[in-house]
Amino acid sequence: MDIKLKEVIQQHAKKTLTTTELARRANLSRSTVTDALKRPINKTSFGVVTQLLLASNIPLESVVSHPELTAAQEEVRFLNQCSLKGLTIMGIKFSTPDHFWKTRDSIITSIYEGDQPTKADVNDAYQQLEKHVPTATMIDRLVHEYGGHQ
């Protein structure tokens, strides 16, 4: 299955930028950006992908998977993105230590079940704990977002 660069940026970016804004920030032509967003990420130049991710404020390591990591190594990588002092996980700030610990512990458990945590996973937990979005609503969003991509 070929994943398009546009999908990766939409999944990981905090803010959606227009093609023109992306081109300006990445110092690329608008046609290069338009073409890159339509193509599968694995068929786009690494340099262009990197520039567009940086222009979208997406760290490369949040997109690149680490299949060679053991669960313990993945846990360390994840913990390096957590700050108890700031109550942040992957840059997402929680309002209480309880919400921080619930999310952190849940994600660590999922690592040992074979998952590689993403910022989207942290954001889902944030939405449920901080914004009180019901689980059913979260599931509906996921089905709508990924329903046709099997």
Side-chain angles (χ1 to χ4, degrees), residues 8-140:
V8 172
I9 290 173
Q10 286 173 337
Q11 180 183 5
H12 293 277
K14 292 179 185 176
K15 176 184 170 193
T16 304
L17 301 172
T18 66
T19 304
T20 303
E21 289 172 312
L22 255 178
R24 184 181 51 77
R25 285 184 176 198
N27 199 26
L28 296 168
S29 72
R30 193 170 185 282
S31 62
T32 298
V33 173
T34 300
D35 181 55
L37 292 174
K38 292 179 183 176
R39 299 167 115 214
I41 196 167
N42 62 334
K43 294 184 177 154
T44 304
S45 124
F46 182 74
V48 170
V49 170
T50 303
Q51 284 178 268
L52 291 175
L53 291 176
L54 291 174
S56 301
N57 294 319
I58 301 169
L60 187 58
E61 61 273 4
S62 72
V63 175
V64 177
S65 64
H66 300 279
E68 72 284 353
L69 296 181
T70 65
Q73 291 168 323
E74 186 68 40
E75 178 182 2
V76 169
R77 188 182 73 80
F78 171 71
L79 289 174
N80 286 333
Q81 298 176 74
C82 298
S83 168
L84 178 57
K85 183 178 178 183
L87 296 179
T88 60
I89 300 173
M90 294 182 165
I92 296 175
K93 182 164 180 53
F94 290 83
S95 64
T96 68
D98 183 54
H99 289 174
F100 170 87
W101 286 108
K102 280 181 181 176
T103 302
R104 180 187 167 276
D105 292 347
S106 173
I107 289 176
I108 288 173
T109 298
S110 75
I111 288 171
Y112 285 91
E113 293 171 350
D115 291 335
Q116 294 175 333
T118 65
K119 191 168 187 171
D121 298 325
V122 178
N123 189 50
D124 288 346
Y126 175 86
Q127 293 297 320
Q128 287 182 296
L129 293 170
E130 301 281 339
K131 302 294 183 185
H132 308 290
V133 175
T135 302
T137 302
M138 298 295 292
I139 291 170
D140 286 345

